[in-house]
Structures are given as C-alpha cells and as structure tokens.
Amino acid sequence: MAARAGAGAGGDDDIPLLDDLMPWSVRPLRTGRPWVTAPDTASLKARWARLVRAEGAERERLFGPTRSRGPRTPVTALPGQSTSTARFARESGPCPEPVRILHGPFDEQWLIPDHRLIDAARPELWRVADGHQLFAVEHGYVPQDTGPALSVTALLPDGHSPAGRPGRIRPLYRRPGGMEPNLAPGLLGLLRARHGDAVTAESVLAWIVTAARHSPAGCVVPLPADTARWWDGVELGRELLRLQLRGARGGERPRLPGGRRPYVRAAVPAAPGTLEYDPDDEALLLGTGRISPVPAGAWEFRVGGVRMLELWFERRASTDGADGADGLEAIRPRDWPREWTSELLELITVLTLLTELRPRQQALADGPQLATGDLRTAGVLPVAATARRPASVLDHQEEGPDGQFALL
C-alpha cells in the first residue's frame, strides 16, 4: 500500500478523523443544574441535605426544574449506581456517595450520581465505565488553539469544554471488561500488518494521544506509514497517558525531581481572592499564599485558549459559603481546604511534565503517512453505521422508574 506525504501534500483532508478511527462517541453530559457537581464532597452532601429538608415550593425552587428534570420526573437508575428511582419529590434519605469525575480537561471534581438530578447523564457511558475503561475526550475546535486536541481519563468525563464547542467522549472499549475495542473495523488488522502483531487497542490510543491535533473538520490523527516512528509515538503516548491518568490503572503518580517539585512557600489563606503568576521567581500567588517553582510552561498551559491553572482556581476561589447568596450552589467550603492545595501541586506537576514532552510530540509530526485513501483501499473506511452505535447489553437488568426493571 503506497504511503502518502500527508498534511504537507493534501492538508488535513488527507488525514483520518478521530471520528473515523474511534467511531462510537457520546455527547457531553448535561447536568441541567450546576449544584450537582463540586470540587469537594462535603459541599455536595450539604446541598443534598438542604434540598431534602425543604418541602413544597421551596424544594422545587432549590431543585431548579428544567424541561428534562423536575422533582416529579420519572427516571431510570444510572447503570452501576444504586440510587432510588422514586420521584425526587418524595426523597428523604441520605445523599448518594459522590463519584469522582473529570470536569473538563485536567479538573477532577465530584458528582452526585443520581439520575433524577441530571438532565442528560449519558447512561451508555456509565454502562461501560469500569476498571478497564479509558475515555478520550475531545476539547472542541477553537481557531489558533495551540493546546492539546484531546485528553484521556480513567474517570467518567462530563465532556465540559472551557471554550468553544464541546467535543465528544470516546470510550476505548464498547463493552465492560475491556471487550470490543472502539476502533474502526479493520483498523487493528491494517496497523498490525504495517507495524507488527504487538499493536493493541491501548497502543492505538497511545499513538492518538501523541499525534491528535485540531482541525476545523474535527480532531485529526495522522497515522505513520513507518514502523519506527509508530513505536516511538506509542512509547511517548504511554508516558502522556501515565501523566494524565495520575496513578490510575496501577500507574505511578506524576512526580518531578526533588529540586523542581512545587512546594508551598507561604500558606494559602482561608479565602484566596486572586491568582497571579510571578515569572521572575516562577511563583504562583494565591492571595498571600505562594507556591514555587512553577515553570512558565505550566502557567501558560491552555486548552481552548484558556489557562488551565486559572480556570481550576476560578472554580474554587469563591469560598463565601451561603452568606448573602441564594441557591444550593452557594453552599461551598468557607475556608480553602488543604486537599485543594495538594490537588493544585499535582496539577502543576502534570502540566509541567506535559509541556516538557511537547517537543517530542512535534518531532513525530512529520514523515510518511497513511492517508484516508489508504484506509478506504484497505476497507477501513467508510465506517459501518453499527460501529457508531453503542453495543447492546442483552443480559443486563437496570432499574426503571419507581423500581421496575427493564432488560437491555
């Protein structure tokens, strides 16, 4: 099969779309009410307690009804969750245990996993979220965006985009247990014929993380025709995955060498109102708090044109509690939790290490490629419509409204 020059010759039109390589995708979650997610679990449990204590019109107001959800809306249970399916208007029990999610790129938060509270929870994602699953999350196209085109997480992602149109969520596997890779039929065979039998679904994902880039048509993924560059990219992609997964799936948590690790030089105050960066001292200033060293690359790390450290801080900076505010979202920590500082130190580490790997990613961008025409010749394209739909789960029962079961 003849290799083509790729982007240099035919531009992005010659480069396969991620939508064709990982054809099953799911739209981002739509909660409908922001109070069901938070950076800490205590706030979520306090919001729930406040809501179930309320009655009548007050409960309705705090709930925040939408066209999709209200206190009396009948819903099914979320797959894998044991929350009630009775009308929420009758709810009086304790808060379901919050689950860790990825709230947009690089921001790990918590969600109340109750289908009665979430407008569009995307149950098909919950069905395949297990100890084997990884999710690739597109960041959405923004012109002149120089940040990564996607991220990967072992957590359930909500697909939130900091700017621009939200991208799609693409599970690596279509079924629980790491079964049936979400790859275009024939793609693994084509790549094994090119690069050897050691090519797996996980190595394809590793290459995608290394090579994916933005285009107006969507995320594109150049596929190398030369085997040496393929395996160099897979090796780099595995390192990128390890950093983004932050110790999940048995990996090591990201660490910088001793002299370069960020430390708290001055304690973060109870209510840091501002976030600033001192480039001369490589210091992050949270009010009177001070963290260093923070390389400029970590500070300038952007997705969709938005600085990730600034966005992370903004989502946590308002710590006024419920004083002078209304609604459940106003229930927040009154003081800056120590756990947030630990999470910030790890985020700085992740962004620093990802920035340092960018030159290696760019060095792998050029070379002979398999173009979309090559994939058509091999029968990989066009992708069958069945590969774009979720796999059926014929032996699985899930609880429907008011406790009735349905066979999927």
Side-chain angles (χ1 to χ4, degrees):
M1 185 180 301
R4 301 191 184 184
D12 287 345
D13 289 343
D14 277 344
I15 303 175
L17 288 164
L18 179 62
D19 188 56
D20 288 330
L21 302 183
M22 298 182 73
W24 175 42
S25 66
V26 180
R27 287 178 293 172
L29 276 64
R30 189 178 73 249
T31 62
R33 45 202 54 79
W35 59 263
V36 301
T37 60
D40 66 300
T41 59
S43 294
L44 293 178
K45 293 178 180 180
R47 292 170 186 177
W48 176 284
R50 172 71 180 88
L51 180 60
V52 298
R53 285 198 306 268
E55 299 179 353
E58 177 67 359
R59 177 176 289 204
E60 186 98 1
R61 182 186 70 81
L62 291 172
F63 185 96
T66 60
R67 293 179 62 183
S68 299
R69 288 291 185 272
R72 296 172 183 79
T73 305
V75 296
T76 61
L78 277 177
Q81 304 297 315
S82 57
T83 51
S84 173
T85 58
R87 306 300 198 272
F88 196 87
R90 304 195 297 268
E91 180 61 64
S92 61
C95 180
E97 194 60 34
V99 298
R100 194 71 157 160
I101 65 167
L102 188 70
H103 179 54
F106 305 104
D107 189 355
E108 296 185 359
Q109 294 202 23
W110 299 90
L111 168 72
I112 300 176
D114 193 315
H115 209 179
R116 297 171 296 177
L117 308 180
I118 305 172
D119 278 11
R122 313 303 179 199
E124 57 270 41
L125 287 180
W126 296 76
R127 289 189 186 105
V128 298
D130 63 9
H132 301 273
Q133 188 64 268
L134 295 175
F135 298 96
V137 187
E138 295 180 56
H139 294 159
Y141 176 71
V142 177
Q144 285 78 55
D145 184 7
T146 59
L150 56 78
S151 57
V152 175
T153 179
L155 301 174
L156 185 85
D158 64 8
H160 180 79
S161 177
R165 184 178 61 190
R168 310 276 294 192
I169 301 168
R170 300 180 188 275
L172 179 57
Y173 298 105
R174 292 166 49 82
R175 296 179 185 273
M179 302 295 291
E180 192 176 334
N182 179 26
L183 299 174
L187 179 61
L188 268 180
L190 172 65
L191 294 175
R192 285 170 177 164
R194 279 271 175 179
H195 307 309
D197 291 342
V199 175
T200 63
E202 291 83 357
S203 57
V204 174
L205 180 63
W207 173 264
I208 287 171
V209 172
T210 297
R213 66 177 187 240
H214 298 284
S215 86
C219 180
V220 294
V221 183
L223 294 176
D226 51 314
T227 296
R229 189 158 59 99
W230 165 266
W231 288 112
D232 286 346
V234 169
E235 179 184 5
L236 175 57
R238 287 171 176 156
E239 177 64 9
L240 294 169
L241 286 172
R242 184 187 70 83
L243 295 176
Q244 295 190 37
L245 297 181
R246 305 190 198 185
R249 304 295 182 264
E252 297 180 1
R253 299 197 76 87
R255 289 174 65 87
L256 283 161
R260 299 176 53 221
R261 289 177 197 158
Y263 286 98
V264 178
R265 311 296 179 174
V268 179
T274 59
L275 180 73
E276 297 177 344
Y277 182 66
D278 181 345
D280 295 329
D281 289 341
E282 290 193 324
L284 198 62
L285 311 176
L286 295 83
T288 58
R290 188 179 188 89
I291 296 174
S292 69
V294 178
W299 170 248
E300 288 295 341
F301 195 103
R302 301 171 188 248
V303 175
V306 178
R307 284 194 184 101
M308 290 294 94
L309 288 176
E310 283 187 319
L311 182 60
W312 186 95
F313 177 78
E314 288 169 4
R315 290 170 173 166
R316 293 158 175 80
S318 182
T319 55
D320 299 332
D323 296 344
D326 193 18
L328 296 176
E329 196 178 4
I331 300 176
R332 306 169 63 90
R334 293 182 178 275
D335 296 330
W336 183 271
R338 182 177 301 176
E339 292 80 8
W340 289 0
T341 302
S342 298
E343 292 175 16
L344 177 57
L345 293 173
E346 182 171 79
L347 178 58
I348 292 168
T349 299
V350 169
L351 299 183
T352 298
L353 292 169
L354 289 175
T355 300
E356 292 176 353
L357 292 175
R358 290 299 294 275
R360 288 178 59 189
Q361 289 181 262
Q362 293 165 354
L364 289 166
D366 296 326
Q369 297 175 12
L370 299 175
T372 54
D374 299 319
L375 271 62
R376 291 192 188 95
T377 300
V380 176
L381 298 180
V383 178
T386 53
R388 300 190 183 278
R389 296 194 291 266
S392 60
V393 187
L394 299 177
D395 59 349
H396 188 71
Q397 282 190 333
E398 291 177 4
E399 187 174 338
D402 292 318
Q404 300 189 24
F405 282 90
L407 183 66
L408 299 179

